[in-house]
Amino acid sequence: MDAEKIPDDVEDLDALPITDAFSTGYQGAEMCDLKEGETVLALGCAARSACSRG
């Protein structure tokens, strides 16, 4: 996972919930033991964190 800079106009408490969504999506992708070329459906922020797995 990459570190992301929170834009100056976004309050810390407004950005905080996304930290859970990204890590949860990434963990879901790990638990599925996805292989290159497989197709999955990821909804919401999980899509971005799953993509970080390749």
Side-chain angles (χ1 to χ4, degrees):
M1 305 266 318
D2 293 334
E4 299 287 334
K5 181 179 181 335
I6 298 170
D8 292 335
D9 61 334
V10 175
E11 296 292 326
D12 291 344
L13 288 178
D14 291 332
L16 187 61
I18 205 159
T19 60
D20 177 55
F22 281 178
S23 59
T24 301
Y26 189 90
Q27 180 63 28
E30 282 281 321
M31 292 173 65
C32 290
D33 193 30
L34 298 174
K35 305 288 187 252
E36 185 174 341
E38 292 183 319
T39 302
V40 298
L41 171 64
L43 303 174
C45 289
R48 183 164 189 269
S49 55
C51 288
S52 68
R53 288 221 351 108

